């Protein structure tokens, strides 16, 4: 009987699609395997099989799959369940989830650009097809799969592309955009298998050349030969630790004792710096550890509310150790790539190469390797990663740690799936029976509510490790100072004095500038004209470093005009205080200080993050200026002053979470101040000195903030007392869009009544030439989300059935942040 498969395509399509299996692979293809399928005109995609059956569809003519890519599933059964939950809950398609979940190398399609790898050397002869494809690519080093297909006239080319990718003869273009250059290192190994006996003979032979003997001894020690290990040894380390010259080593290479090979540093590295030792916990930490373990006996999720630098990370490490002891895997989620460097060092020290790191600043090939390794018999026991690592395959997940659980970077904004990785992790844990620990100094209000109403466990750590005092927070009234003309640009006299004194004492300074609502712009001094994106309803951001204007929504870049197009004026001035401006001004005031800046622009690559953080840790930088990135859980030892340049942009942001976020940001960034034996100082500049949030930050009174916010949220029906769904509508034609938004708003109201607000114009009402309208839906917690979803999708379908409305784009943001 003919077999068929239902597949998930990497496209935002509602239904599944069915293909026929050619007889020769009919018995090999199973659920979770990838297959290449034709879709649309002449396009091919990598699809994932989720159902194998004998039912021939009748509504359309079934095509055959073009090729089978995997013998073994690359997706575990539980992952399908997880994907389905994401698609259902966040109102998107399985195709959307597929696109977010898999690294690019696992989902090649016709449009994928492949790139020639000039360093490739084949270990074994390539197949004729592989050779042909590589030849075609060697003429022009970057080509789309479609073009290669045309040029070679080959069928089923995706299979060949996959084979070449596996051999690393080619790469996927995407990864190369990330200006990541793998660092190669020369390493040393025995040129052949070496027995004890052979080794003894060798030592005899080398008796006369002390340097060579020393090299051999050292190599044996470094490689762990006597322990039966084969660790990698870098050429440089070997030479340095013996003081031997390169010629001594070369002599051994000539004698065929050693051979030199090249390997990429950091790439799934096995050179462990493991000591296996855990720091003993202090009494507070030990108590917290025990309370968490106890809470896990009755509850799946526990909140660890620990002040900054209370040593939460050490508690995590002990919990990880325990999970590993029970043979379980651990997923350690971080909100931001910037944080992985510091945590990696701390975890590697204890767990060595049982730890794998997964994030988007790594090249795609590496992510593919990790994915495959997690499916193998020897997966990493611990995965440290950002948002997308919830999608990795885990076979025996026991614990998920969500560090800095309050961070909004856990929520994916665009594109779909607009999921919150913290919440998804909790659901994933529910499916696998794993426990979840949420850690933070400033819990999100939702989590706090869940923890205090008994849904989650709650454990507190109120003492800083080694009793370092929390910093003293000094508010500065900028309104008053401005009136008296005493501000120096954006700096108050007190802040400048504190910075000066810290520098004199050789201590460090962090200056924090909130990014939100603060994009630097240019403006015509004469008429006030501000350049805007031609595709989107936003002012362009000015990047001084590259002398360009860019649109942060569509990525379009523009040259800075030499005169104002509105009035021909030539005085175009720089407005707003981005971090660049802060840096320029601080350089003028403290010319002798070394200053670094950490924001989206300076941290495009992995090495850039690491360099900024390492330099600051090592004391090479005196002043670090940054956006929210500097607030997130980084742990520095010599910071005595923190300056919050402007609290008001955070307080004035038009969002129901603005106060909560302002508190979290300020409390977190303040937590970076303070050194052993010395209390740090935070200078908090604001024009709203009497604002309750300012008082709560000064008193570090998280609970007062939560109480006040919860009361307001309850009164106005906001989360955690209701669930929010934003319905977005997009269209090219603004008048038609307004009409459609009104109609859809009416239909929603007919079903959901007063739970519907809007339609409204969102703050950014046009992106990439499409206009946008937003409708807000507030759903009671008791109401069935499944029913609400069904109704929503039905209304959407009815809308689009009207021929006039058929090009309307609708998408949803569930639990928006
Ligand atoms: P948090 O995650 O709560 O901000 P960390 O775990 O980063 O705090 O701890 C702050 C500092 O105190 C770190 O430098 C850490 O190494 C040190 N520390 C915390 N607990 C211990 C411990 N039990 N033994 C040794 N050092 C510790
Ligand atoms: Zn002008
Ligand atoms: Zn734009």
């Amino acid at each position: 009987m003919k077999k068929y498969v239902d597949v998930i395509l990497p496209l935002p399509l509602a239904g599944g699609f069915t293909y026929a299996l050619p007889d020769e692979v009919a018995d090999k293809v199973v659920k979770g395997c990838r297959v290449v399928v034709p879709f649309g005109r002449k396009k091919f995609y990598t699809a994932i099989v989720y159902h194998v059956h004998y039912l021939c569809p009748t509504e359309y003519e079934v095509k055959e799959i073009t090729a089978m890519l995997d013998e073994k599933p690359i997706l575990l059964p539980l992952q399908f369940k997880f994907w389905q939950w994401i698609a259902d809950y966040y109102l998107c398609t399985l195709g959307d989830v597929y696109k977010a979940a898999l690294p690019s190398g696992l989902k090649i399609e016709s449009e994928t650009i492949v790139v020639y790898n000039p360093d490739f050397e084949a270990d074994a002869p390539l197949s004729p097809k592989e050779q042909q494809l590589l030849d075609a690519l060697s003429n022009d080093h970057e080509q789309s799969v479609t073009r290669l297909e045309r040029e070679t006239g080959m069928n089923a080319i995706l299979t060949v592309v996959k084979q070449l990718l596996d051999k690393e003869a080619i790469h996927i273009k995407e990864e190369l955009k990330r200006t990541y250059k793998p660092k190669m290192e020369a390493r040393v190994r025995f040129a052949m298998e070496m027995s004890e006996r052979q080794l003894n003979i060798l030592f005899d032979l080398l008796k006369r050349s002390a340097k060579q003997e020393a090299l051999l001894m050292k190599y044996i020690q470094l490689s762990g030969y006597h322990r039966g290990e084969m660790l990698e040894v870098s050429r440089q380390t070997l030479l340095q630790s013996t003081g031997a010259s390169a010629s001594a080593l070369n002599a051994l290479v000539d004698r065929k004792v050693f051979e030199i090979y090249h390997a990429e540093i950091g790439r799934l590295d096995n050179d462990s710096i493991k000591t296996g030792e855990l720091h003993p916990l202090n009494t507070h930490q030990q108590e917290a550890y025990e309370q968490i373990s106890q809470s896990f006996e009755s509850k799946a999720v526990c909140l660890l509310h620990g002040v900054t630098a209370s040593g939460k990370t050490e508690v995590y490490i002990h919990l990880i150790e325990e999970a590993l002891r029970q043979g379980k895997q651990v997923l350690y989620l971080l909100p931001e790539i910037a944080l992985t460097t510091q945590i990696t060092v701390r975890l590697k020290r204890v767990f060595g190469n049982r730890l794998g790191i997964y994030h988007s600043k790594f090249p795609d090939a590496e992510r593919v390797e990790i994915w495959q390794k997690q499916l193998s018999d020897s997966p990493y026991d611990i995965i440290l990663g950002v948002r997308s690592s919830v999608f990795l395959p885990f076979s025996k997940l026991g614990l998920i740690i969500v560090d800095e659980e309050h961070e909004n970077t856990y929520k994916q904004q665009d594109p779909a799936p607009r999921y919150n990785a913290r919440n998804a992790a909790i659901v994933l844990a529910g499916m696998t029976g794993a426990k979840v620990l949420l850690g933070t100094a400033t819990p999100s209000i939702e989590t706090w509510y869940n923890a205090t109403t008994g849904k989650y466990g709650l454990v507190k750590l109120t003492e800083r490790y080694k009793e370092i005092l929390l910093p003293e927070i000094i508010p500065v009234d900028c309104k008053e100072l401005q009136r008296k003309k005493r501000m120096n640009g954006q700096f108050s006299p007190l802040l400048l004095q504190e910075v000066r004194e810290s520098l004199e004492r050789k201590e460090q300074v962090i200056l924090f500038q909130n990014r939100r609502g603060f994009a630097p712009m240019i403006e015509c001094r004469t008429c006030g004209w501000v350049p805007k994106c031609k595709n989107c309803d936003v002012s362009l951001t000015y990047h001084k470093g590259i002398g360009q204007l860019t649109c942060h929504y569509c990525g379009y870049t523009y040259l800075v005009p030499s005169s104002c197009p509105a009035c021909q004026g030539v005085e175009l001035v720089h407005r707003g205080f981005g971090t660049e401006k802060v840096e320029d001004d601080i350089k003028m005031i403290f010319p002798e200080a070394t200053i670094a800046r950490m924001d989206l622009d300076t941290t495009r690559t992995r090495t850039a993050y690491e360099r900024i953080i390492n330099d600051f840790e090592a004391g090479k930088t005196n002043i670090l200026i940054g956006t929210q990135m500097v607030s997130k859980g980084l742990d520095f030892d010599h910071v005595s002053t923190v300056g919050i340049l402007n609290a008001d942009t955070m307080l004035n942001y038009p969002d129901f979470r603005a106060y909560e976020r302002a508190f979290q940001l300020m409390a977190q960034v303040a937590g970076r101040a303070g050194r052993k034996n010395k209390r740090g100082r935070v200078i908090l500049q604001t024009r709203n000195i009497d604002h309750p949030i300012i008082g709560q930050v000064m008193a570090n009174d998280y609970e007062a903030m939560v109480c006040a916010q919860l009361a307001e949220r309850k009164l106005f029906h906001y989360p955690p007392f209701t669930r929010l769904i934003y319905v977005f509508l997009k269209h090219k034609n603004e008048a038609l869009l307004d009409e459609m938004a009104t109609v859809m708003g009416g239909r929603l109201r007919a079903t959901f009544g007063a739970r519907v607000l809007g339609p409204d114009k969102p703050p950014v009402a046009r992106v990439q030439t499409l206009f946008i309208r937003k409708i807000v839906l507030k759903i009671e917690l008791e109401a069935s989300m499944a029913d609400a979803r069904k109704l929503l999708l039905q209304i959407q379908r009815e809308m689009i059935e009207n021929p006039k409305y058929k090009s309307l784009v609708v998408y949803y943001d569930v639990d928006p942040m």
Side-chain angles (χ1 to χ4, degrees):
M1 230 159 101
K2 192 81 184 154
K3 268 193 182 173
Y4 299 89
V5 286
D6 295 342
V7 300
I8 306 172
L9 284 159
L11 297 167
L13 301 165
F17 278 81
T18 306
Y19 289 86
L21 286 178
D23 293 336
E24 63 275 16
V25 298
D27 292 325
K28 291 191 192 150
V29 173
V30 293
K31 178 173 175 173
C33 287
R34 290 172 307 150
V35 290
V36 176
V37 299
F39 187 87
R41 257 169 51 87
K42 286 199 168 169
K43 285 219 180 112
F44 291 92
Y45 292 95
T46 301
I48 297 186
V49 173
Y50 73 87
H51 192 39
V52 185
H53 57 85
Y54 295 97
L55 222 66
C56 181
T58 49
E59 316 87 83
Y60 53 91
E61 198 185 328
V62 197
K63 293 184 190 150
E64 275 201 339
I65 69 161
T66 314
M68 167 181 130
L69 291 183
D70 303 305
E71 305 262 327
K72 273 192 184 160
I74 60 140
L75 216 59
L76 305 174
L78 200 122
Q79 288 177 286
F80 281 98
K81 206 172 143 195
F82 183 54
W83 285 25
Q84 190 65 55
W85 177 82
I86 299 241
D88 286 347
Y89 187 84
Y90 292 105
L91 289 157
C92 63
T93 67
L94 280 173
D96 290 324
V97 185
Y98 170 19
K99 280 201 288 186
L102 258 59
S104 308
L106 290 179
K107 51 182 187 205
I108 10 166
E109 56 185 55
S110 299
E111 265 101 275
T112 304
I113 306 285
V114 292
V115 186
Y116 186 73
N117 175 7
D119 298 330
F120 171 67
E121 282 171 29
D123 306 330
L126 296 174
S127 76
K129 277 193 167 178
E130 290 171 352
Q131 194 58 54
Q132 193 191 347
L133 197 150
L134 216 50
D135 289 345
L137 202 56
S138 66
N139 299 329
D140 180 352
H141 284 193
E142 283 182 17
Q143 296 186 45
S144 73
V145 172
T146 310
R147 202 178 126 203
L148 283 170
E149 190 165 32
R150 216 173 34 235
E151 274 182 21
T152 57
M154 237 187 265
N155 289 326
I157 198 169
L158 287 189
T159 320
V160 188
V161 169
K162 178 205 175 240
Q163 287 156 2
L164 288 173
L165 267 178
D166 289 346
K167 294 182 177 166
E168 297 196 26
I170 59 174
H171 294 295
I172 296 282
K173 165 83 169 174
E174 199 184 54
E175 71 188 81
L176 297 175
K177 272 196 304 226
R178 295 199 184 91
T179 61
Y180 168 89
K181 263 225 157 66
K183 252 169 88 187
M184 303 297 281
E185 168 184 83
R187 296 189 182 160
V188 179
R189 66 183 167 212
F190 280 138
M192 52 174 182
E193 192 93 22
M194 194 75 72
S195 69
E196 287 278 336
R197 210 175 62 86
Q198 282 166 310
L199 210 56
N200 288 335
I201 298 172
L202 198 57
F203 272 117
D204 270 350
L205 276 171
L206 294 181
K207 253 192 198 134
R208 304 236 184 127
S209 35
K211 283 277 149 74
Q212 292 181 32
E213 191 182 5
L215 278 169
L216 187 60
M217 286 289 281
K218 196 72 194 174
Y219 174 77
I220 286 172
Q221 187 195 339
L222 290 175
S223 66
Y225 174 89
H226 276 316
R227 297 189 301 275
E229 290 180 76
M230 263 306 161
L231 300 179
E232 303 207 65
V233 177
S234 95
R235 181 174 177 273
Q236 200 188 0
T237 317
L238 186 61
L239 289 176
Q240 274 172 0
S241 55
T242 51
S245 65
S247 59
L249 183 59
N250 290 342
L252 285 168
V253 173
D254 290 342
R255 292 177 107 146
K256 302 262 186 300
V257 175
F258 286 142
E259 64 183 11
I260 306 287
Y261 65 104
H262 294 267
E264 204 176 296
I265 301 177
R267 174 109 177 239
L268 297 191
D269 58 15
N270 288 313
D271 40 42
S272 58
I273 35 170
K274 173 176 167 166
T275 66
E277 272 168 44
L278 276 75
H279 292 301
L281 298 177
N282 68 17
T283 49
H284 305 292
Q285 291 170 327
Q286 185 60 33
E287 216 170 293
Y289 174 85
E290 279 158 21
Q291 287 172 6
I292 293 165
S293 309
Q294 205 168 19
S295 150
F296 279 159
E297 281 172 19
S298 56
K299 286 173 183 151
V301 185
C302 181
L303 166 65
L304 174 59
H305 181 207
V307 294
T308 49
S310 54
K312 292 185 288 296
T313 316
E314 294 301 327
V315 176
Y316 303 158
I317 291 174
H318 282 250
L319 288 163
I320 295 171
E321 170 82 6
E322 175 59 22
L324 298 195
R325 218 181 44 75
Q326 296 176 10
K328 298 282 180 54
Q329 284 175 306
V330 178
L331 170 61
Y332 190 137
L333 287 175
L334 284 171
E336 180 99 35
I337 294 168
L339 294 176
T340 49
T341 316
Q342 282 198 335
I343 302 285
T344 303
V345 174
R346 290 173 72 176
L347 293 180
K348 276 250 159 162
R349 202 187 62 78
V350 182
F351 302 109
N353 56 22
R354 301 178 77 175
L355 173 74
I357 299 150
Y358 189 78
H359 67 57
S360 61
K361 282 261 160 45
F362 280 4
D364 192 71
E366 199 165 322
R367 282 187 284 158
V368 171
E369 257 177 77
I370 293 188
W371 190 287
Q372 303 285 15
K373 187 170 162 70
Q374 293 315 89
L375 290 169
S376 75
D377 296 335
S378 54
Y380 285 115
D381 296 317
I382 312 164
I383 290 286
L384 176 67
V386 293
R387 201 162 64 206
S388 61
S389 36
V390 295
F391 291 115
L392 277 171
F394 290 95
S395 47
K396 40 180 188 172
L397 192 59
L399 174 67
I400 304 180
I401 290 166
V402 185
D403 196 15
E404 311 291 345
E405 68 82 28
H406 64 280
E407 283 292 345
N408 59 350
T409 38
Y410 278 124
K411 169 87 176 170
Q412 170 148 319
Q413 303 290 357
D414 244 331
R418 295 175 177 81
Y419 67 105
N420 183 320
R422 175 198 64 205
N423 298 348
I426 291 172
V427 170
L428 179 68
M431 291 177 179
T432 55
K435 302 293 177 189
V436 183
L437 183 68
L438 307 176
T440 173
T442 52
S444 68
I445 289 186
E446 282 91 341
T447 295
W448 180 259
Y449 183 73
N450 283 330
T452 48
T453 52
K455 194 166 161 193
Y456 301 166
L458 172 60
V459 174
K460 295 186 192 180
L461 254 179
T462 50
E463 303 291 325
R464 287 187 131 188
Y465 183 73
K466 287 187 184 156
E467 276 107 44
I468 305 166
L469 286 173
L470 280 166
E472 178 186 6
I473 300 178
I474 307 166
V476 172
D477 183 352
C478 292
K479 204 182 202 166
E480 180 66 14
L481 287 169
Q482 249 154 6
R483 208 178 48 80
K484 294 185 184 154
K485 303 222 174 341
R486 296 207 34 224
M487 290 290 284
N488 181 348
Q490 44 196 313
F491 311 107
S492 61
L494 180 65
L495 177 59
L496 291 181
Q497 183 194 329
E498 285 290 331
V499 173
R500 186 166 294 119
E501 287 174 9
S502 290
L503 292 177
E504 278 164 11
R505 291 191 306 259
K506 304 262 180 289
E507 292 163 352
Q508 290 174 305
V509 175
I510 290 180
L511 297 178
F512 167 69
Q513 174 68 294
N514 183 48
R515 183 181 58 217
R516 224 158 171 178
F518 243 160
M521 294 183 276
I522 61 167
E523 184 181 49
C524 171
R525 177 161 268 170
T526 319
C527 74
W529 171 83
V530 171
K532 292 204 161 179
C533 179
K534 62 178 187 192
N535 303 320
C536 315
D537 179 22
V538 286
S539 313
L540 296 172
T541 305
Y542 176 53
H543 293 269
K544 190 158 156 265
I546 48 174
Q548 274 182 341
L549 298 165
T550 62
C551 169
H552 276 195
Y553 283 84
C554 71
Y556 214 89
T557 60
Y558 302 77
L559 290 175
V560 180
S562 50
S563 63
C564 168
C567 76
Q568 319 309 321
V570 287
E571 251 194 297
L572 297 174
V573 294
H574 188 177
R575 188 161 71 87
F577 345 86
T579 38
E580 265 180 325
K581 177 90 166 76
V582 177
E583 186 183 9
D584 286 353
D585 292 353
I586 280 287
K587 270 186 182 149
M588 299 271 278
I589 304 173
F590 301 105
E592 68 292 347
T594 320
I595 298 164
R597 175 161 65 89
M598 185 153 89
D599 56 26
L600 275 181
D601 287 326
T602 61
T603 53
R604 297 244 179 257
T605 63
R606 169 170 66 158
T607 41
Y609 276 114
E610 289 177 5
R611 208 189 52 244
I612 295 171
I613 292 168
N614 290 343
D615 284 358
F616 195 65
E617 272 187 322
K620 286 187 203 158
T621 317
N622 309 118
I623 304 176
L624 179 63
I625 298 163
T627 54
Q628 354 292 72
M629 279 185 196
V630 298
S631 75
K632 287 177 190 169
L634 291 169
D635 181 26
F636 300 117
D637 269 347
H638 301 283
V639 177
S640 57
T641 301
V642 165
I644 297 173
L645 294 178
N646 182 325
D648 311 316
T649 47
M650 296 180 255
L651 294 171
N652 298 338
Y653 197 79
D655 182 82
F656 71 94
R657 276 188 239 270
Y659 291 174
E660 173 190 358
R661 261 199 216 136
F663 180 92
Q664 286 163 341
L665 271 171
M666 288 192 267
Q668 291 282 351
V669 74
R672 305 308 127 214
R675 325 183 308 114
K676 306 214 167 87
N677 319 318
K678 190 141 182 237
R679 196 168 180 202
R681 278 202 166 164
V682 178
I683 310 299
L684 198 177
Q685 302 191 149
T686 176
R687 295 169 60 87
N688 295 284
I689 196 99
D690 298 321
H691 198 291
I693 291 287
I694 300 292
Q696 288 153 5
V697 171
M698 282 168 60
N700 191 36
D701 196 346
Y702 172 81
E703 289 187 29
M705 184 281 290
V706 165
C707 269
Q709 291 306 305
L710 276 175
E712 278 196 18
R713 302 265 184 104
K714 187 159 196 172
L715 195 62
F716 298 106
H717 304 289
Y718 275 103
F721 302 100
T722 48
R723 216 186 289 275
L724 285 183
I725 301 179
Y726 290 167
V727 183
F728 287 99
L729 297 94
K730 273 192 185 176
H731 200 270
K732 247 203 247 2
N733 179 330
E734 188 166 23
L736 183 59
L737 178 66
D738 275 326
E739 179 189 324
M740 292 187 288
T742 312
V743 172
M744 181 129 173
R747 293 198 180 175
L748 286 169
R749 243 180 281 276
T751 308
F752 293 99
R755 298 176 189 86
V756 181
L757 307 176
D760 283 314
K761 251 184 169 175
V764 175
R766 183 166 165 250
V767 169
Q768 290 178 353
T769 76
L770 294 178
F771 292 92
I772 308 173
R773 294 294 179 269
K774 175 174 124 186
I775 300 174
V776 176
L777 195 59
K778 288 182 174 176
I779 302 201
E780 295 88 339
L781 291 183
E782 316 77 71
S784 151
M785 264 299 272
D787 289 350
R789 263 193 314 269
K790 236 181 267 159
L791 292 168
L792 272 174
L793 294 179
Q794 191 186 329
I795 292 168
Q796 178 185 344
R797 264 196 308 276
E798 285 166 12
M799 280 296 291
I800 296 171
E801 267 166 21
N802 182 342
K804 195 175 156 201
Y805 298 163
K806 80 170 193 298
S807 52
L808 172 68
V809 177
V810 180
Y811 63 91
Y812 304 89
D813 191 355
V814 180
D815 300 340
M817 281 195 82

